[in-house]
Amino acid sequence: MCDCESNRSMDVKTPRNVYLSGFYKRSFAFYTIKNRMPVIITSLLDNLARNKLKLAEKYEEEAKEEIKTVIGQLSKLKYEIQTNKPLKLLSSQAADAKIYNEYITRQANEEGHATYFHTIWLLAECYMYRRIWQIFETMSVLKNFDPFQDKKEESFFTALPLIEQMGKYLWDSIHDSTTPSEDEFVQFMKLNLWGNKCDLSLSLGKVTEENTLFDISSLDKQILSDYSTDIWKAISACDSSSDIVDIVFDNAGYEVFTDLCLADYMIAKQLAKTIRLYVKTIPWFISDVMTHDFHWMLQQLKSHENHVLQNLGERWQSYIDNGTWLIVESDFWTLPFDYTYMARVDQNLYKQLAEAKLAIFKGDLNYRKLFGEKNWDPTTSVDQALQNFNPTKLAILRTIKADIVCGLEEGIAEKIEAEDPKWMETGNWGLIQYSNKIVEIK
Ligand SMILES: *[C@@H]1O[C@H](CO)[C@@H](O)[C@H](O)[C@H]1NC(C)=O
Ligand SMILES: *[C@@H]1O[C@H](CO)[C@@H](O)[C@H](O)[C@H]1NC(C)=O
Ligand SMILES: [Mg+2]
């Protein structure tokens, strides 16, 4: 058995300016690979075992056999992680699998073996979700089964009291007058920021109730970097040649509802004519939004007894029907690359983002990818840490759930660290960051 973990992991924190990796024992990456990733698979195993009969009813009797196979393969995957095996090449015939395999091979050539604990954390964690999907991909009746769907649905239902409040708030503000205001826009953006706290990957699949997220003025002191005013200026500027805004989603449930409230505010107040909504194409980090989650939510809203939610559901459906909102799928979001790779690996996507006057990136994984999965000195500027990923102006909204941060003023990180040693893991602290640098590609 490979003993390389105990032989090679270093009992230190992640040094500055290197990739995050489980190699550094006192890092959140190590904790995640050692504890969180196996627990996520265990809870998936439990769910499947518990729902076997229900699934057999819904699909076919064949599902029972397939679930057995899935359970066996998931257990193997868990064992590979726990024993720090090298990442196996994917066997899937899907186009993204080839890109994964090339990247894993390249990493292995550089590192000796690309193992879970020793390779770049981003690769190890994305790979786990891709492997989980591969297991389902190869089944026949379960081949499109989203193993996290019931969790995502549960989180929507749990958040309904918040969703009703937020829905009413939006409804009132789009009906009061047509002029947008900075205060109101920023309010929607902050509600949207705190919506990002609801993350099933962080809570290991447990759906929890958040009651304080609507009381956002009390949360202002937890925003460590706040460029709301610059974002407002970018969105309200009359000189922009584009009237498209892009939103790169993170989680389903309450968060995506707040994404759509912000999107509707921008449409209703004529800050944008078109909003493109970027979703994942495979089940991802438990709670990330896929196209079917989006439609499921619209269905729930349209058939809800609350009239405001019903009206919003109808309104949002017509945005989709008439192209005011476009759902955009791309495999790039579930590749293991940080965004410095986008200009090379997916030029079309980079150029597409460049058409927007503003691109809003939501959440922790987008943050890790935007800033190259590196342990920056927290005072490193946003533009330096973006390393030329600047397709258009960027608004970056994220509650902090991993030990990577940049763009903070001198002394902030130290101050918060002293006050709250786990500040980078809880989602209790937020960032609203901005870049207006543009780097075009030919
Ligand atoms: C390191 O690996 C070798 C060979 O696999 C093993 O014999 C040794 O016990 C390991 N050392 C530690 C500290 O685990
Ligand atoms: C699309 O639908 C919305 C909501 O019904 C409506 O306000 C808007 O004018 C429509 N846009 C177009 C281009 O038809
Ligand atoms: Mg997520």
Side-chain angles (χ1 to χ4, degrees), residues 339-358:
Y339 295 156
T340 60
Y341 285 81
M342 191 190 287
R344 270 171 287 159
V345 174
D346 196 341
Q347 269 202 20
N348 290 339
L349 184 58
Y350 191 97
K351 287 180 176 162
Q352 190 176 343
L353 293 170
E355 295 162 0
K357 67 169 165 178
L358 180 75

Side-chain angles (χ1 to χ4, degrees), residues 42-69:
T42 305
S43 111
L44 191 50
L45 285 166
D46 291 348
N47 271 348
L48 286 168
R50 202 166 336 114
N51 294 323
K52 200 154 107 181
L53 291 176
K54 220 171 72 193
L55 287 171
E57 242 169 65
K58 188 170 164 196
Y59 293 86
E60 291 158 46
E61 199 55 16
E62 217 183 321
K64 270 194 204 162
E65 274 312 304
E66 290 194 359
I67 289 169
K68 261 194 225 157
T69 314

Side-chain angles (χ1 to χ4, degrees), residues 53-308:
L53 291 176
K54 220 171 72 193
L55 287 171
E57 242 169 65
K58 188 170 164 196
Y59 293 86
E60 291 158 46
E61 199 55 16
E62 217 183 321
K64 270 194 204 162
E65 274 312 304
E66 290 194 359
I67 289 169
K68 261 194 225 157
T69 314
V70 168
I71 288 178
Q73 292 188 16
L74 282 172
S75 308
K76 273 195 194 136
L77 175 61
K78 183 171 133 185
Y79 176 80
E80 286 171 31
I81 297 170
Q82 289 175 317
T83 52
N84 192 27
K85 293 279 185 284
L87 309 186
K88 286 185 186 158
L89 296 185
L90 297 169
S91 56
S92 163
Q93 297 305 306
D96 69 326
K98 194 167 160 249
I99 303 174
Y100 263 91
N101 287 346
E102 282 166 9
Y103 186 55
I104 292 166
T105 307
R106 186 144 44 91
Q107 287 307 121
N109 288 339
E110 280 175 22
E111 297 166 10
H113 289 291
T115 62
Y116 288 92
F117 282 88
H118 294 147
T119 197
I120 302 166
W121 176 28
L122 184 63
L123 171 57
E125 199 171 12
C126 292
Y127 175 83
M128 178 185 85
Y129 287 97
R130 186 60 186 84
R131 272 286 295 277
I132 293 173
W133 183 239
Q134 174 171 281
I135 295 172
F136 288 97
E137 244 182 338
T138 49
M139 297 296 127
S140 72
V141 290
L142 294 179
K143 96 169 158 267
N144 295 312
F145 179 71
D146 176 351
F148 305 126
Q149 186 170 343
D150 54 350
K151 292 284 175 198
K152 289 183 271 194
E153 293 179 2
E154 193 189 335
S155 81
F156 172 86
F157 291 126
T158 308
L160 266 171
L162 271 176
I163 287 176
E164 288 181 25
Q165 278 187 74
M166 180 80 193
K168 179 166 186 324
Y169 181 70
L170 173 69
W171 194 253
D172 291 346
S173 67
I174 54 185
H175 286 93
D176 69 1
S177 81
T178 52
T179 18
S181 76
E182 175 175 348
D183 276 357
E184 220 170 29
F185 175 76
V186 169
Q187 194 76 358
F188 277 103
M189 203 162 49
K190 286 180 177 171
L191 284 160
N192 187 219
L193 163 69
W194 293 114
N196 180 242
K197 245 191 113 169
C198 307
D199 183 329
L200 295 172
S201 147
L202 188 74
S203 65
L204 304 171
K206 278 196 207 67
V207 177
T208 49
E209 217 174 323
E210 295 277 359
N211 304 315
T212 57
L213 293 182
F214 208 72
D215 177 22
I216 55 163
S217 59
S218 72
L219 294 169
D220 273 358
K221 58 183 183 308
Q222 281 155 251
I223 303 180
L224 301 181
S225 172
D226 185 355
Y227 284 79
S228 300
T229 296
D230 298 87
I231 297 170
W232 164 252
K233 282 183 191 147
I235 191 79
S236 59
C238 322
D239 60 351
S240 177
S241 56
S242 166
D243 41 29
I244 302 171
V245 171
D246 284 343
I247 304 179
V248 183
F249 283 152
D250 186 357
N251 302 308
Y254 179 62
E255 179 172 4
V256 73
F257 186 84
T258 65
D259 291 329
L260 298 184
C261 288
L262 180 63
D264 197 353
Y265 184 81
M266 290 188 280
I267 294 293
K269 304 288 176 171
Q270 296 173 5
L271 295 165
K273 275 211 178 74
T274 307
I275 312 252
R276 295 184 298 202
L277 307 164
Y278 293 85
V279 297
K280 307 295 190 294
T281 50
I282 66 173
W284 197 244
F285 284 62
I286 308 184
S287 43
D288 281 28
V289 185
M290 297 174 63
T291 303
H292 70 82
D293 301 315
F294 188 95
H295 291 302
W296 180 86
M297 188 175 76
L298 285 194
Q299 221 43 55
Q300 291 301 312
L301 295 173
K302 284 191 285 182
S303 58
H304 202 276
E305 59 189 20
N306 177 313
H307 287 292
V308 170

